[in-house]
Structure formats: C-alpha cells, structure tokens
Amino acid sequence: MTSRSIAPLPHGSVFQLPRRAVYQPPALLEYSGTGTLGFAVSPSTTVEFTTTGILAAQSTPGAAPAFTGSGTVGAAAVAGVSFNDSFTRASLGSNWTVGADAPVIASNQVRAGTTGPNSATTYYPALWATTHTTDGQESVIVLVAPASDSDLSLGGGVIVRGNAATLDRVELIATATSMTIYTVIGGTRTQRATASVTVNNLVTIRLSAVDNVYRGYLGGSATTPSVTWTDGGGLIPIDSTTRRTGIVAVSAKDSGGAATYGWELDDWIGRNI
C-alpha cells in the first residue's frame, strides 16, 4: 500500500479513516490527541498513525488495538478470525494439514481413511492450514452416521490447540454414548475427561479452549459443557505454536482389512473466541 501524507491536526481534533482505507468487515477508527496508534497483528502487518499525519498500512481481521501516548482512541473492532468448510468437493485439498493417516471426503462429508493397519483403530486428524490470531479458540462439527459399515463406538470429533509441526493437539471425541477429551502429545493419546451422554445423528458438538480450560458441548446452542478438563500441568502450550483448530475421524480394520467407520463429519467451523 502507498503511504499517504495528511496535514497535521490541531490538538483535540478528530481524525477519521475513510471506509475505503480498511478491509472488510469495515472498522471505523477515530484518533484524537497526541501519540501513536498501533495494531499488533499476524502476520507482521502494522497500522501507524502519528502526529505527522502519516497512515502507513492497513489492519487485518482479528487485530487487537494497542495505544501509546496521551491521546484517546475510539474504535469499532473488526471480527475475530473464523474459518469454515462444508466439504462439498472431492478431497480436503491445501486448506488442511494432515499427517500420515489423512481423512478423506466421501459424499461431501469427511470420513476416516483406510491407511491404518489391520486389527487396529486409527485416528485421522486434520488441522486447518491457517492459524488463528489469538489463543482462545473453538472447533465445531456436525456428526453424521455413515450410511454403511458404521460403528459409532469409534467416535469422531474436533481439535483445538493443534500444532502443525508435531500434530500435538486436544481432541473432543464423541461416540454414540460418550464425549471424551483427549490430548495427543508426541503421538501418545491420553484420556483426560469423559462424560456419559447420548449423542444422536446430525448433532453438533463443540470444543473450546480458553486459557488452560477445555470444554466440550453437545448441541449447537449449548451453554453448559458436557465435559470439562483443566490442564493444570501445562501439558499443551498456549502460544503461537498451538493456534490451529481442526477435525478428527476414526476407523478400525479387522484382521482381514475390512473397515468400519465412526462418525462422518460435516459443516466445520473453527474460530477465535
């Protein structure tokens, strides 16, 4: 973006950015007094307005304002970052980061693959390829019973605090009769909290991460969690390395290689909270 020079303003006056100078969704910024208005964003885009009247750059959605100096700021903040996927295509594609065992799309829904070994249950995680901008996050999915070869005791669900390099993560896995929070660290899956609930076809489940507390919700509008786990030992880092959300599908193969499948997954949302 080309910098524009603006004549200095008298003390106490108000400078208002024109709407064409910001990205959608629009944010209206007002500045008065002296000092510097800055935005901390990711990636390293910055907005600076100084008393010399120079506007250097634009902000991105989800940026949090930081103010220094003696002036005052009034702002309508842009919305937090939100991602979604309805899976209406043939394959996951480049929007997702997967490991050795990658989920697949079948009939416009995500299901587990069949790359796992015989006589074993295999988990097929995928992380959205773009990071969130803050540590608070949640992941939401609709659970769909497979039309054939179904075994809902295998479950399926969502991921928060995912690390794209290691695939370490926190999962909420729902079966037909339970919701369980797991950690996966260094490839080791550990159950952290579980609750007995009835999980019906086409229900929405949601896993949130706020500070070190993880809450699993049954139902799209639920306000009371069905299962909660507090990471008192700091097992999952809370920093810029764990800002991926995603999904996990599950399948099992018998000794002859015949596969059965847990929930299929549809209409995913991952967002900052």
Side-chain angles (χ1 to χ4, degrees):
M1 172 181 175
T2 302
S3 296
R4 297 181 58 188
S5 295
I6 305 170
L9 300 175
H11 181 76
S13 61
V14 174
F15 176 80
Q16 179 171 304
L17 295 179
R19 288 189 178 273
R20 66 177 182 273
V22 295
Y23 291 120
Q24 294 295 329
L28 180 65
L29 300 177
E30 295 180 345
Y31 176 83
S32 62
T34 59
T36 300
L37 171 64
F39 277 81
V41 302
S42 179
S44 59
T45 308
T46 59
V47 171
E48 295 180 353
F49 175 75
T50 69
T51 53
T52 60
I54 299 175
L55 175 62
Q58 294 172 323
S59 66
T60 58
F67 179 78
T68 60
S70 59
T72 59
V73 176
V78 292
V81 173
S82 179
F83 309 114
N84 62 83
D85 197 337
S86 60
F87 309 113
T88 54
R89 58 189 183 280
S91 62
L92 280 178
S94 60
N95 282 335
W96 293 90
T97 299
V98 298
D101 295 307
V104 300
I105 291 180
S107 301
N108 296 329
Q109 293 165 174
V110 172
R111 71 187 301 177
T114 56
T115 55
N118 293 353
S119 303
T121 296
T122 303
Y123 292 80
Y124 294 78
L127 300 177
W128 188 254
T130 305
T131 60
H132 292 284
T133 58
T134 64
D135 296 324
Q137 58 199 239
E138 67 179 8
S139 188
V140 185
I141 202 73
V142 176
L143 303 176
V144 184
S148 61
D149 302 318
S150 174
D151 181 358
L152 299 183
S153 68
L154 297 171
V158 287
I159 294 169
V160 297
R161 296 265 165 81
N163 182 310
T166 63
L167 285 183
D168 289 357
R169 58 195 185 268
V170 180
E171 297 177 344
L172 175 65
I173 299 292
T175 70
T177 58
S178 67
M179 292 175 63
T180 304
I181 295 175
Y182 293 90
T183 57
V184 180
I185 302 173
T188 299
R189 175 181 303 276
T190 304
Q191 178 179 311
R192 300 300 178 180
T194 191
S196 296
V197 293
T198 299
V199 181
N200 295 315
N201 188 33
L202 302 179
V203 75
T204 298
I205 63 169
R206 171 167 50 101
L207 176 61
S208 69
V210 178
D211 297 325
N212 67 338
V213 181
Y214 299 85
R215 298 177 177 90
Y217 297 86
L218 179 62
S221 60
T223 56
T224 301
S226 297
V227 60
T228 301
W229 173 59
T230 300
D231 183 8
L235 301 175
I236 299 293
I238 304 174
D239 57 32
S240 61
T241 68
T242 56
R243 289 182 177 173
R244 302 283 190 97
T245 52
I247 55 178
V248 56
V250 191
S251 66
K253 293 165 69 174
D254 64 20
S255 59
T260 52
Y261 301 90
W263 297 105
E264 295 183 352
L265 311 172
D266 203 1
D267 294 325
W268 173 80
I269 301 171
R271 58 193 168 214
N272 287 125
I273 54 174

